[in-house]
PDB file of all heavy atoms in Angstrom:
ATOM      1  N   ASN X 347      17.857  -6.822  94.722  1.00 87.00           N
ATOM      2  CA  ASN X 347      18.668  -7.376  93.643  1.00 87.00           C
ATOM      3  C   ASN X 347      17.886  -7.487  92.341  1.00 87.00           C
ATOM      4  O   ASN X 347      18.462  -7.422  91.252  1.00 87.00           O
ATOM      5  CB  ASN X 347      19.203  -8.757  94.040  1.00 87.00           C
ATOM      6  CG  ASN X 347      20.373  -8.663  94.999  1.00 87.00           C
ATOM      7  OD1 ASN X 347      21.458  -8.227  94.628  1.00 87.00           O
ATOM      8  ND2 ASN X 347      20.158  -9.053  96.251  1.00 87.00           N
ATOM      9  N   ILE X 451      15.901  13.653 109.688  1.00 94.00           N
ATOM     10  CA  ILE X 451      14.795  13.619 108.732  1.00 94.00           C
ATOM     11  C   ILE X 451      14.235  15.010 108.460  1.00 94.00           C
ATOM     12  O   ILE X 451      13.865  15.325 107.320  1.00 94.00           O
ATOM     13  CB  ILE X 451      13.665  12.696 109.249  1.00 94.00           C
ATOM     14  CG1 ILE X 451      14.183  11.273 109.436  1.00 94.00           C
ATOM     15  CG2 ILE X 451      12.470  12.705 108.296  1.00 94.00           C
ATOM     16  CD1 ILE X 451      14.666  10.608 108.154  1.00 94.00           C
ATOM     17  N   THR X 508      -1.671 -16.885  96.571  1.00 56.00           N
ATOM     18  CA  THR X 508      -1.816 -15.446  96.390  1.00 56.00           C
ATOM     19  C   THR X 508      -0.716 -14.903  95.482  1.00 56.00           C
ATOM     20  O   THR X 508       0.459 -15.160  95.697  1.00 56.00           O
ATOM     21  CB  THR X 508      -1.766 -14.713  97.736  1.00 56.00           C
ATOM     22  OG1 THR X 508      -2.752 -15.298  98.589  1.00 56.00           O
ATOM     23  CG2 THR X 508      -2.074 -13.244  97.560  1.00 56.00           C
ATOM     24  N   ASP X 653      18.058 -12.261  80.778  1.00 69.00           N
ATOM     25  CA  ASP X 653      19.159 -12.026  79.848  1.00 69.00           C
ATOM     26  C   ASP X 653      18.904 -10.764  79.029  1.00 69.00           C
ATOM     27  O   ASP X 653      18.834 -10.784  77.807  1.00 69.00           O
ATOM     28  CB  ASP X 653      19.323 -13.237  78.932  1.00 69.00           C
ATOM     29  CG  ASP X 653      20.608 -13.156  78.115  1.00 69.00           C
ATOM     30  OD1 ASP X 653      21.539 -12.467  78.558  1.00 69.00           O
ATOM     31  OD2 ASP X 653      20.665 -13.773  77.041  1.00 69.00           O
ATOM     32  N   THR X 669      25.108  14.437  64.943  1.00 94.00           N
ATOM     33  CA  THR X 669      25.711  15.731  64.592  1.00 94.00           C
ATOM     34  C   THR X 669      26.753  15.632  63.486  1.00 94.00           C
ATOM     35  O   THR X 669      27.220  16.656  62.991  1.00 94.00           O
ATOM     36  CB  THR X 669      26.353  16.354  65.844  1.00 94.00           C
ATOM     37  OG1 THR X 669      27.204  15.393  66.476  1.00 94.00           O
ATOM     38  CG2 THR X 669      25.290  16.802  66.829  1.00 94.00           C
ATOM     39  N   GLU X 832     -29.879   2.687  56.584  1.00 92.00           N
ATOM     40  CA  GLU X 832     -29.577   3.232  57.904  1.00 92.00           C
ATOM     41  C   GLU X 832     -28.994   2.118  58.780  1.00 92.00           C
ATOM     42  O   GLU X 832     -29.707   1.228  59.227  1.00 92.00           O
ATOM     43  CB  GLU X 832     -30.839   3.799  58.556  1.00 92.00           C
ATOM     44  CG  GLU X 832     -30.569   4.461  59.900  1.00 92.00           C
ATOM     45  CD  GLU X 832     -31.809   5.103  60.498  1.00 92.00           C
ATOM     46  OE1 GLU X 832     -32.843   5.171  59.790  1.00 92.00           O
ATOM     47  OE2 GLU X 832     -31.746   5.535  61.664  1.00 92.00           O
ATOM     48  N   ASN X 871     -30.088  -2.845  60.982  1.00 92.00           N
ATOM     49  CA  ASN X 871     -29.536  -3.553  59.819  1.00 92.00           C
ATOM     50  C   ASN X 871     -28.146  -4.110  60.116  1.00 92.00           C
ATOM     51  O   ASN X 871     -27.198  -3.959  59.323  1.00 92.00           O
ATOM     52  CB  ASN X 871     -29.480  -2.615  58.605  1.00 92.00           C
ATOM     53  CG  ASN X 871     -30.859  -2.147  58.178  1.00 92.00           C
ATOM     54  OD1 ASN X 871     -31.727  -2.954  57.862  1.00 92.00           O
ATOM     55  ND2 ASN X 871     -31.068  -0.835  58.214  1.00 92.00           N
ATOM     56  N   THR X 893      -8.501   7.296  82.713  1.00 92.00           N
ATOM     57  CA  THR X 893      -8.414   5.884  83.071  1.00 92.00           C
ATOM     58  C   THR X 893      -9.793   5.240  83.223  1.00 92.00           C
ATOM     59  O   THR X 893      -9.895   4.073  83.589  1.00 92.00           O
ATOM     60  CB  THR X 893      -7.636   5.703  84.384  1.00 92.00           C
ATOM     61  OG1 THR X 893      -8.358   6.334  85.457  1.00 92.00           O
ATOM     62  CG2 THR X 893      -6.247   6.315  84.282  1.00 92.00           C
ATOM     63  N   GLU X 903     -29.741 -13.593  72.338  1.00 87.00           N
ATOM     64  CA  GLU X 903     -31.150 -13.954  72.468  1.00 87.00           C
ATOM     65  C   GLU X 903     -31.394 -14.917  73.624  1.00 87.00           C
ATOM     66  O   GLU X 903     -32.468 -14.932  74.225  1.00 87.00           O
ATOM     67  CB  GLU X 903     -31.637 -14.588  71.157  1.00 87.00           C
ATOM     68  CG  GLU X 903     -31.675 -13.595  69.995  1.00 87.00           C
ATOM     69  CD  GLU X 903     -32.069 -14.258  68.690  1.00 87.00           C
ATOM     70  OE1 GLU X 903     -31.204 -14.963  68.122  1.00 87.00           O
ATOM     71  OE2 GLU X 903     -33.219 -14.102  68.278  1.00 87.00           O
TER      72      GLU X 903
END
Side-chain angles (χ1 to χ4, degrees):
N347 283 291
I451 300 298
T508 306
D653 190 24
T669 50
E832 184 176 352
N871 297 302
T893 64
E903 293 176 285

